[in-house]
Amino acid sequence: MSLTIAALLAQDGITNGAIYALLALALVMVFAVTRVIWVPAGEFVSYGTLTLAALQLGKDPGTVQLLVGMALVAGVMEAWSCLAQGHVRHLPRRLILWTAVPLAIAALVRWLAPLQPPFVVQIALTLAAVTALGPLLYRIVYQPLVEASVLVLLIVSVAVHFALTGLGLWFFGAEGSRTPPFSGESLLTSVLLILGLYLFFERTLYGKALRATAVNRVGARLVGISPSLAGSLTFTLATLLCAFSGILIGPITTIYYDSGFLVSLKGFVGAIIGGLSSYPLAAAGSLLVGLLESFSSFWASAFKEVIVFTLIIPVLLWRSLAAHHHEDEDE
């Protein structure tokens, strides 16, 4: 291997690793705040790519239909919750938040899609439509199970993964899609987004509330931080990262309705290296995954996936031996 080839492989690995880093940060964020191992993260990566590809063709993306359906379900659940708890005065505000806003986003996307707006507008529409699915998913699926164990939440996440994969096949079809490059510097774009998240967590009240919830859920609740608000905001940010990852990875490879799972697994390896708790270690681990994948594709392309996922074995073994085991905290 010459130095030129090594440099090209390293560049490709760092570029892919930056995308995996976004996914790893999303996974770490969701687990730290809500204890959910977010298996369906990859579906939102696929939805991001396929939604943008549909807008490129002037078609109404299937994401709109899913958004409408989930908004209506969330509205019914909120109405029932308000009536059951006697909080009828809160119902209009909740219906605006959970139903009217997602329906407005869906209507905007459906109206602009045939007009084929500029590429930047298509990206904004894609991010808005896919990101809106995150808090709706939390409200419908995870919020009613907020007191459940990690194992139950994992089983539910696996079920959601299969459901979203099937819906992806229904809405987008079995054909793969690629999108135009979002930016010539995926690494720079990822770094800027990570920096934005850092400023959000360090300088904003909502960011500090999420950090407090991640450190101690019971303590955060005692000082008035709403668990449902923290969960909804976390899923919003995580879905935004996944959708953005889909936009970044779309020009690199052809994405199918079920391609996101494999991509998210590589982000999961990075998150495991970070112990599902450390953002810097998760990002560094994702860069390592990208480099390992890139050089493996040169030396043994048929086994590159096996080599990448084998990395998780020594990491899990080391953490299992080094960690102090304890039961889930009682809330």
Side-chain angles (χ1 to χ4, degrees):
M1 178 189 297
S2 65
L3 289 178
T4 302
I5 295 177
L8 291 174
L9 291 174
Q11 180 182 5
D12 184 59
I14 292 174
T15 300
N16 291 335
I19 298 174
Y20 300 151
L22 295 179
L23 292 172
L25 293 180
L27 292 167
V28 171
M29 188 192 316
V30 169
F31 182 77
V33 176
T34 66
R35 300 176 300 124
V36 173
I37 299 176
W38 203 29
V39 180
E43 276 59 62
F44 294 100
V45 176
S46 298
Y47 284 10
T49 302
L50 297 175
T51 299
L52 181 58
L55 292 175
Q56 281 282 300
L57 298 175
K59 296 180 179 180
D60 184 16
T63 315
V64 171
Q65 303 174 46
L66 181 60
L67 184 58
V68 170
M70 293 180 68
L72 294 176
V73 172
V76 171
M77 294 179 68
E78 283 295 328
W80 176 263
S81 176
C82 288
L83 293 175
Q85 298 174 5
H87 298 160
V88 180
R89 67 182 185 277
H90 296 158
L91 182 57
R93 181 174 61 86
R94 294 188 180 182
L95 288 179
I96 290 174
L97 178 64
W98 291 106
T99 303
V101 172
L103 290 180
I105 294 174
L108 181 63
V109 174
R110 179 165 289 177
W111 172 54
L112 291 177
L115 303 179
Q116 293 186 298
F119 189 44
V120 175
V121 177
Q122 292 176 351
I123 291 174
L125 292 174
T126 298
L127 293 177
V130 178
T131 301
L133 296 175
L136 290 173
L137 179 66
Y138 176 79
R139 177 63 186 90
I140 296 170
V141 177
Y142 294 105
Q143 186 173 318
L145 301 173
V146 67
E147 301 296 338
S149 66
V150 175
L151 178 60
V152 171
L153 293 173
L154 174 60
I155 294 172
V156 171
S157 289
V158 173
V160 172
H161 155 66
F162 285 114
L164 291 179
T165 301
L167 289 172
L169 176 59
W170 184 17
F171 289 134
F172 298 105
E175 297 80 14
S177 299
R178 298 185 73 147
T179 59
F182 167 71
S183 170
E185 295 292 342
S186 297
L187 176 59
L188 177 60
T189 308
S190 300
V191 169
L192 290 176
L193 187 55
I194 293 173
L195 178 60
L197 284 175
Y198 171 78
L199 294 176
F200 171 78
F201 283 114
E202 289 292 330
R203 301 300 177 89
T204 67
L205 182 62
Y206 286 106
K208 293 178 180 179
L210 291 185
R211 289 175 56 196
T213 306
V215 172
N216 190 317
R217 288 182 294 276
V218 177
R221 187 181 302 176
L222 290 175
V223 298
I225 299 174
S226 169
S228 59
L229 175 61
S232 299
L233 184 55
T234 298
F235 268 72
T236 301
L237 293 174
T239 310
L240 173 63
L241 292 176
C242 292
F244 201 81
S245 299
I247 292 174
L248 291 178
I249 205 171
I252 299 175
T253 183
T254 302
I255 296 296
Y256 299 85
Y257 72 96
D258 58 349
S259 298
F261 181 66
L262 188 62
V263 177
S264 66
L265 275 181
K266 295 171 185 176
F268 182 72
V269 174
I272 288 295
I273 294 175
L276 286 175
S277 59
S278 172
Y279 295 106
L281 283 179
S286 299
L287 290 176
L288 175 61
V289 169
L291 290 170
L292 184 61
E293 178 188 32
S294 180
F295 282 91
S296 298
S297 64
F298 179 82
W299 292 109
S301 59
F303 299 99
K304 67 174 184 177
E305 309 294 353
V306 176
I307 295 173
V308 168
F309 294 130
T310 301
L311 177 64
I312 202 174
I313 296 177
V315 174
L316 288 176
L317 180 61
W318 175 75
R319 290 197 173 277
S320 178
L321 295 175
H324 298 286
H325 300 282
H326 56 84
E327 299 294 330
D328 289 343
E329 62 181 283
D330 294 324
E331 297 186 16

